[in-house]
Amino acid sequence: RAPAAPAAEGAYVTPLVRKLASENGVDLNTVTGSGVGGRIRKQDVLAAAEAAKAAAAAPAPAAAPAAQAPAARTPSPLRGQTVKLTRIRKVIAQNMMKALHNQAQLSTVVEVDVTRIMKLRARAKESFLAREGVKLSPMPFFVKAAAEALKVHPAVNAKLNDDDTVTYHDVENIGIAVDSDKGLMVPVIKGAGDLSIAGIAKKTAELAGKVRSGKLSPDDMSGGTFTISNTGSRGALFDTIIVNYPQVAELGIGATVRRPVVIDHPELGETIAVRDMVYLTLSYDHQLVDGADAARYLTDVKARLEAGEFEGELGL
């Protein structure tokens, strides 16, 4: 049977039906007749009127929340001003220029899968805080891996002297570049190569507290043999960092990003999985460190982090 035709298509409508439609506010052009030949009957008009009332009484669907526009940023009060460099900013500027003028700097980047590290940290962070009294961030894992690799790659943990000699350090004093209100600070974790994850975490927390309180001493910032800069803390994927002169290398840690990557699964073979990925950048002085040296160092750091074998140190 063919579907009934709407009234607008010419079906006859009786005066009684038209009057009933007018009284109930029903537009006959919107009504489909159920009578012979598509004729609109009284029942059709009453049904249309009831449907209209039900629709009017139903609550309106909730509107989708509008995308919230980012809050307007307040313009900096420094706009349009000429001010003198602060003492700290002047020292930073001088050190940066000294580094670039005295070294042949370049950078090498590797990509590291730190999924195991992130899972390990998630498992251990509550018990670690209760036991050690400090939070467990990802940073101590990077410091630990970097320090261990320095022990077997002496050219990366060295100093070029003015008399054309090289000093290969027998200690891993790792500076941590910290962004502060006063400028870039680099407090040093002394003997980082001999510290556990807990020891590194405690020392990092102690030095960070001194940075925030403005209580860093000259001794806290001296004696570094290698520096790590967490450039990813503000979302940067990687950075071509300037080496902390007179050191010959510095490691940059980019932002950890979850994204799909190809992995070789023991049962599934090559497959795509969501992993925690990070770029590590090693900037170095090419006068002493060759690209192959940098690559070997980064490969060892990468292998240590991807293996993620820190359970013993975390009490797991």
Side-chain angles (χ1 to χ4, degrees):
R1 177 183 176 183
E9 295 183 8
Y12 175 70
V13 180
T14 65
L16 177 63
V17 169
R18 288 188 182 278
K19 181 181 179 183
L20 186 62
S22 177
E23 291 174 349
N24 287 274
V26 174
D27 181 0
L28 288 172
N29 288 318
T30 65
V31 179
T32 299
S34 60
V36 177
R39 176 178 295 181
I40 297 176
R41 301 189 299 164
K42 175 181 175 182
Q43 295 92 318
D44 300 326
V45 173
L46 293 176
E50 289 298 322
K53 288 179 183 178
Q68 189 172 3
R73 303 293 297 272
T74 303
S76 170
L78 291 176
R79 294 178 76 233
Q81 293 195 36
T82 298
V83 299
K84 191 170 183 176
L85 284 177
T86 63
R87 183 181 62 82
I88 291 178
R89 191 72 251 172
K90 189 173 181 179
V91 170
I92 293 171
Q94 290 171 343
N95 287 343
M96 294 298 103
M97 293 305 294
K98 186 184 295 183
L100 288 178
H101 286 164
N102 288 278
Q103 295 183 330
Q105 294 194 16
L106 72 159
S107 302
T108 297
V109 182
V110 296
E111 187 177 34
V112 182
D113 184 339
V114 291
T115 307
R116 289 181 181 175
I117 294 293
M118 295 301 118
K119 289 182 177 179
L120 192 62
R121 173 181 172 254
R123 285 170 53 201
K125 62 182 181 180
E126 290 184 7
S127 60
F128 187 89
L129 176 60
R131 183 175 64 252
E132 306 295 345
V134 295
K135 292 183 178 180
L136 178 62
S137 74
M139 191 65 174
F141 297 99
F142 290 100
V143 174
K144 181 74 172 175
E148 289 179 354
L150 289 177
K151 291 178 181 289
V152 293
H153 297 281
V156 183
N157 191 42
K159 178 186 176 184
L160 271 173
N161 302 310
D162 293 335
D163 60 356
D164 293 331
T165 62
V166 181
T167 297
Y168 296 101
H169 300 297
D170 61 356
V171 65
E172 296 75 40
N173 293 340
I174 296 184
I176 305 295
V178 178
D179 178 30
S180 75
D181 293 338
K182 294 183 179 180
L184 185 66
M185 303 286 186
V186 189
V188 177
I189 302 175
K190 306 287 177 61
D194 299 320
L195 294 178
S196 64
I197 291 287
I200 293 171
K202 289 178 180 179
K203 193 61 180 179
T204 302
E206 176 192 334
L207 293 172
K210 288 186 176 183
V211 171
R212 289 191 296 268
S213 63
K215 295 181 179 180
L216 273 180
S217 69
D219 183 63
D220 290 326
M221 300 176 67
S222 66
T225 64
F226 183 83
T227 297
I228 295 177
S229 181
N230 186 11
T231 61
S233 61
R234 296 293 183 270
L237 291 179
F238 61 88
D239 197 353
T240 53
I241 48 183
I242 296 176
V243 177
N244 187 15
Y245 184 83
Q247 298 167 21
V248 296
E250 181 166 341
L251 183 69
I253 304 171
T256 298
V257 179
R258 287 182 62 77
R259 58 183 175 81
V261 296
V262 176
I263 63 170
D264 191 3
H265 191 276
E267 295 179 1
L268 303 177
E270 286 193 344
T271 187
I272 296 175
V274 176
R275 310 289 290 178
D276 292 297
M277 305 298 295
V278 64
Y279 290 110
L280 297 184
T281 303
L282 187 74
S283 288
Y284 49 97
D285 184 358
H286 206 346
Q287 294 179 100
L288 179 63
V289 183
D290 290 333
D293 298 321
R296 282 189 286 264
Y297 174 79
L298 285 172
T299 297
D300 280 358
V301 175
K302 172 185 171 79
R304 182 70 166 103
L305 291 171
E306 291 189 340
E309 295 173 351
F310 296 97
E311 288 90 347
E313 290 196 39
L314 299 175
L316 296 177

